[in-house]
């Protein structure tokens, strides 16, 4: 079947032509070339296969080994929410590592090889080059995520597990955003640093700190202020919660848990060292222990801990690295 007869190819061709003729035409050829060059590399498919296997594994275990039944026994119906609970601890640490590997060499490797000067001799600005690299590499990051979710659906559809479409799709959207955020983070460092090795070391170093140590930063800072600035316990908990939410990993986790629990307050309580004081004195509610877990009734969540605010904190890790990377890249002598 020719491209003219194939409706999918014709549709994609129409989209390609529309973008070329739009205001995005300046950076679109770069992102298109970046996507094509990267997708030909065998390592991207190895990474995709690893991610897909690990991501779809909870669905397979739940379907064939009935592991998800523990949630049904706890009083919840056996839905894809059980799958999300299994998949979240896999996606939270794995996807940033995949995104960093995909993005860290985007610009730094071009600089090492000398091809960056050739690219910039063409009618592209450094900003257009950065934007094109970001879009192209982000599309590559989304390949294993999208295929992983589609594979999961193919496994779950024939089963008796009910698909909770709203929470499943919100989890997919949050996970895709999470992957793009870390791609932007890696590309920003790639633009700012001179070599791919430095970009990789910096990206992985910050990622390890976020994954391993950031969770203790809020509590440590709160204790420090309590000891030396004589702040009260409520203020200490405010510091702990706010600092915790500034981590993209914690922001992603709490947003997904909010979708599962249907309560932003309950998901935020999990980030504090003293949920009872957080609920009763900081949020003005009453802590009630139910079969589904601790519930903070009649509480009011301050704006800085709202869903919109947490999404903003997550997206800061997309915007700030790109802007900072662009600023250094724009003023860097190649």
């Amino acid at each position: 079947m020719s491209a003219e007869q194939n409706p999918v190819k014709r549709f994609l061709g129409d989209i390609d032509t529309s973008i070329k003729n739009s205001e995005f035409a300046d950076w679109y050829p770069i992102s298109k070339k970046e996507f094509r060059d990267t997708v030909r590399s065998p390592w991207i498919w190895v990474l995709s296969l690893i991610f897909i296997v690990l991501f779809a594994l909870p669905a397979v275990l739940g379907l064939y080994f009935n592991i998800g039944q523990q949630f049904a026994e706890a009083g919840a119906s056996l839905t894809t929410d059980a799958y999300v609970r299994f998949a979240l601890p896999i996606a939270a640490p794995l996807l940033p590592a995949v995104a960093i590997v995909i993005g860290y060499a985007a610009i730094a490797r071009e600089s090492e090889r000398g091809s960056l000067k050739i690219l910039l001799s063409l009618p592209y600005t450094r900003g257009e080059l950065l934007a094109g690299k970001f879009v192209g590499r982000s599309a590559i990051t989304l390949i294993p995520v999208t295929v992983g979710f589609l594979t999961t659906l193919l496994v779950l559809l024939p089963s008796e597990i009910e698909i909770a479409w709203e929470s499943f799709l919100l989890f997919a959207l949050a996970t895709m955003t999470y992957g793009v955020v870390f791609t932007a983070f890696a590309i920003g460092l790639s633009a700012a640093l001179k070599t791919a090795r430095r970009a990789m070391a910096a990206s992985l170093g910050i990622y390890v700190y976020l994954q391993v140590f950031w969770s203790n930063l809020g509590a440590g800072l709160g204790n420090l202020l309590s000891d030396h600035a004589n702040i009260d316990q409520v203020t200490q908990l405010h510091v702990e919660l706010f600092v915790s939410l500034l981590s993209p990993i914690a922001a992603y986790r709490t947003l997904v848990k909010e979708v599962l629990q249907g309560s932003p307050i309950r998901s935020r309580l999990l980030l504090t060292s003293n949920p009872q004081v957080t609920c009763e004195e900081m949020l003005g509610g009453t802590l009630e222990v139910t079969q589904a877990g601790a519930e903070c009734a009649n509480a009011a969540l301050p704006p800085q801990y709202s869903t919109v605010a947490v999404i903003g904190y997550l997206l800061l890790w997309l915007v700030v690295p790109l802007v900072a990377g662009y600023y250094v890249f724009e003023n860097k002598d190649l």
Side-chain angles (χ1 to χ4, degrees), residues 199-221:
M200 169 64 95
S203 299
L204 289 180
I206 296 173
Y207 162 69
V208 170
Y209 183 83
L210 289 170
Q211 184 68 40
V212 179
F213 300 107
W214 188 285
S215 58
N216 298 319
L217 179 62
L221 184 58

Side-chain angles (χ1 to χ4, degrees), residues 59-333:
V60 175
L61 292 175
L63 176 60
Y64 294 105
F65 296 95
N66 208 28
I67 291 178
Q69 190 62 36
Q70 60 180 289
F71 296 105
E73 292 171 357
S77 59
L78 189 56
T79 70
T80 48
D81 287 354
Y83 159 75
V84 174
R85 287 183 175 92
F86 274 113
L88 178 58
I90 297 174
L94 178 63
L95 186 52
V98 173
I100 287 171
V101 171
I102 289 172
Y104 82 95
I107 295 175
R109 184 65 54 78
E110 298 268 18
S111 180
E112 286 180 336
R113 293 173 175 172
S115 55
L116 188 58
K117 293 181 179 180
I118 298 174
L119 276 174
L120 292 175
S121 68
L122 300 173
Y124 298 124
T125 66
R126 298 193 187 196
E128 291 165 355
L129 178 65
L130 182 64
K133 293 282 188 179
F134 165 64
V135 174
R137 298 275 173 148
S138 294
I140 293 294
T141 301
L142 292 178
I143 288 178
V145 180
T146 303
V147 177
F149 277 111
L150 292 176
T151 305
T152 299
L153 281 176
L154 290 175
V155 172
L156 291 176
L157 282 173
S159 73
E160 297 180 357
I161 299 175
E162 178 187 350
I163 298 179
W165 286 105
E166 182 178 358
S167 58
F168 186 84
L169 292 176
L170 285 174
F171 173 55
L173 179 62
T175 303
M176 291 176 179
T177 304
Y178 183 57
V180 171
V181 163
F182 270 94
T183 305
F185 163 74
I187 290 176
L189 287 173
S190 183
L193 299 175
K194 288 186 177 181
T195 66
R197 181 176 296 179
R198 291 180 185 177
M200 169 64 95
S203 299
L204 289 180
I206 296 173
Y207 162 69
V208 170
Y209 183 83
L210 289 170
Q211 184 68 40
V212 179
F213 300 107
W214 188 285
S215 58
N216 298 319
L217 179 62
L221 184 58
N223 290 331
L224 185 66
L225 291 174
S226 177
D227 293 339
H228 298 281
N230 200 29
I231 63 173
D232 58 29
Q233 188 176 19
V234 172
T235 305
Q236 183 178 344
L237 287 170
H238 271 293
V239 171
E240 180 181 350
L241 181 56
F242 182 74
V243 172
S244 296
L245 288 173
L246 289 180
S247 163
I249 298 173
Y252 167 69
R253 283 179 177 271
T254 195
L255 287 171
V256 174
K257 289 178 180 178
E258 177 182 338
V259 170
L260 292 174
Q261 298 169 351
S263 169
I265 293 177
R266 190 189 301 175
S267 64
R268 306 299 184 267
L269 288 179
L270 298 173
L271 294 174
T272 64
S273 57
N274 196 328
Q276 183 172 359
V277 175
T278 302
C279 172
E280 296 177 354
E281 297 187 27
M282 193 173 93
L283 304 181
T286 304
L287 190 67
E288 300 176 355
V289 179
T290 65
Q291 190 176 18
E295 181 68 48
C296 187
N298 304 316
L301 196 65
Q304 66 268 30
Y305 309 133
S306 66
T307 303
V308 173
V310 176
I311 293 173
Y313 302 149
L314 179 61
L315 294 179
L316 276 176
W317 286 86
L318 185 155
V319 175
V320 172
L322 285 179
V323 171
Y326 168 72
Y327 177 79
V328 175
F329 184 46
E330 181 69 16
N331 295 282
K332 185 165 59 174
D333 185 9

